[in-house]
Amino acid sequence: MAGKDRILVLGPTGAIGRHIVWASLKAGNPTYVLVRDTPPTVNKPRLVTAANPETREELLQNYKNSGAFLIQGDMNDHQSLVNAMKQVDVVICSFGRLLIEDQVKIIAAIKEAGNIKRFFPSEFGLDVDRHDSVEPVREVFEEKAKIRRIIEAEGVPYTYLCCHAFTGYFLRNLAQIDITVPPRDKIFIQGDGNVKGAYITEADVGSFTIEAANDPNALNKTVHLRLPANYLTLNEIVSLWEKKIGKTLEKIYVPEEKVLKDIQESSFPNNYLLALYHSQQIRGDAVYEIDPAKDIEASEAYPYVKYSTVDEYLNQFV
């Protein structure tokens, strides 16, 4: 029996990348992480701070202690990227929104190395070929779609992973702005609250990503994470929360016209978060039919993977 593919994770210390690394190690894949000699010196604005206590240095040391291989490299050093690619079989990128376009450098290195079986570009959101979002998120989604087209034009083998709404963005506060826990008195709901959304913990994103990486059927396909217990409307989620706290919340339904006005008048990160909520809760960008010829529904392909449900996730806030 052949050994498992060697997996390289780019962006291994981020909010999603760290979970992909741990999932890869847990699955028994030889796991490599690309690290720079020195950490970035510029503090970039974040939407949600990673819910992990480790510093970058502690996390990298924990990876090494757990059997991961640390490879020195830099996005602006083409040869170091090529050298990294030659040591692995699968490349998974988990860059943040500000580095999406830099993936052209990864594609160039993959092409030169010539041995990569699969590339997972930094997606980890909704399907960027199926959305009706507004700015400021539309620009990011269009950048991701552009990377898809470059991958396809260059003939790079790929898997796109669409996981929709991270619990850290959407459920920790039930999609409310400027609070960090679910509300207990009143809640603002975009639209009528009856549009289905897809939710998933960041740790489960890591698990399903590695499952897809080890699945030959996911080659040149898009994997969709719309898990049955987590494919819910916001009204359904609020009802779950109300049962847990034994209290009915005051619900304020916000019409789309007001939501769009709030997005335009808000600054980052609130405008970005509001636009993400609008994409799912009003435009219904998690509601679509898949094409079996090019899509995989993860819950059907990997029914044995255990995941945290919305109901379970909310227990920590009771």
Side-chain angles (χ1 to χ4, degrees):
M1 180 177 178
K4 289 192 173 182
D5 285 337
R6 298 165 296 173
I7 292 178
L8 171 65
V9 181
L10 307 178
T13 60
I16 294 298
R18 64 184 64 202
H19 293 295
I20 295 173
V21 173
W22 289 126
S24 180
L25 288 166
K26 183 178 180 181
N29 288 87
T31 304
Y32 297 70
V33 298
L34 187 73
V35 295
R36 296 198 288 185
D37 291 328
T38 57
T41 56
V42 178
N43 290 322
K44 298 175 181 177
R46 296 180 181 274
L47 292 176
V48 178
T49 302
N52 289 273
E54 308 104 319
T55 65
R56 174 183 181 272
E57 291 71 25
E58 289 171 338
L59 189 57
L60 292 175
Q61 186 59 51
N62 288 340
Y63 290 160
K64 189 174 181 179
N65 293 344
S66 298
F69 302 93
L70 276 56
I71 304 177
Q72 297 296 325
D74 191 284
M75 287 300 299
N76 295 315
D77 182 345
H78 175 72
Q79 192 56 51
S80 74
L81 287 180
V82 173
N83 292 342
M85 301 303 165
K86 288 182 177 180
Q87 298 180 56
V88 300
D89 305 298
V90 175
V91 178
I92 301 175
C93 183
S94 60
F95 288 169
R97 60 186 178 83
L98 299 178
L99 297 175
I100 297 302
E101 293 184 317
D102 279 357
Q103 291 179 107
V104 295
K105 301 172 184 177
I106 300 170
I107 295 168
I110 288 173
K111 287 287 289 184
E112 181 170 332
N115 60 286
I116 297 302
K117 298 179 181 179
R118 200 106 58 88
F119 175 45
F120 285 66
S122 187
E123 295 250 347
F124 308 107
L126 56 77
D127 189 336
V128 296
D129 284 335
R130 294 181 172 104
H131 76 92
D132 190 24
S133 62
V134 298
E135 295 295 359
V137 299
R138 173 175 285 273
E139 179 181 4
V140 176
F141 295 160
E142 289 178 346
E143 288 174 358
K144 290 183 177 182
K146 179 181 177 181
I147 292 297
R148 284 189 179 190
R149 304 292 86 82
I150 294 173
I151 289 169
E152 293 157 5
E154 292 292 334
V156 171
Y158 66 84
T159 295
Y160 305 140
L161 194 126
C162 302
C163 61
H164 299 278
F166 301 150
T167 52
Y169 283 21
F170 288 77
L171 289 188
R172 66 190 175 95
N173 56 4
L174 298 191
Q176 305 300 288
I177 295 295
D178 294 331
I179 62 174
T180 58
V181 294
R184 289 175 176 262
D185 296 309
K186 66 180 179 180
I187 183 168
F188 292 90
I189 299 174
Q190 291 190 3
D192 62 9
N194 291 323
V195 179
K196 290 281 189 182
Y199 303 85
I200 187 169
T201 67
E202 289 82 345
D204 289 335
V205 172
S207 297
F208 279 102
T209 299
I210 297 304
E211 199 66 41
N214 287 323
D215 178 12
N217 292 324
L219 175 64
N220 294 338
K221 290 186 178 179
T222 303
V223 176
H224 304 265
L225 300 180
R226 296 183 296 181
L227 309 172
N230 294 358
Y231 194 43
L232 304 169
T233 69
L234 192 53
N235 282 337
E236 289 172 328
I237 293 171
V238 172
S239 179
L240 285 173
W241 177 239
E242 289 174 330
K243 290 177 182 177
K244 291 181 183 298
I245 63 174
K247 183 178 179 180
T248 300
L249 301 182
E250 176 189 356
K251 301 172 186 66
I252 302 169
Y253 292 93
V254 185
E256 184 173 22
E257 181 179 347
K258 176 65 164 61
V259 172
L260 293 173
K261 185 172 184 291
D262 289 343
I263 292 170
Q264 293 172 353
E265 295 179 352
S266 299
S267 57
F268 186 87
N270 288 359
N271 60 343
Y272 198 90
L273 290 168
L274 286 170
L276 284 175
Y277 302 157
H278 172 265
S279 170
Q280 179 162 264
Q281 295 173 25
I282 291 182
R283 294 292 171 86
D285 284 340
V287 182
Y288 51 82
E289 297 294 327
I290 68 169
D291 179 354
K294 60 182 181 179
D295 297 316
I296 290 176
E297 193 76 70
S299 62
E300 297 175 2
Y302 320 120
Y304 46 83
V305 177
K306 295 185 182 299
Y307 61 89
S308 297
T309 67
V310 168
D311 187 56
E312 293 167 342
Y313 178 83
L314 291 176
N315 285 336
Q316 66 186 293
F317 302 108
V318 176

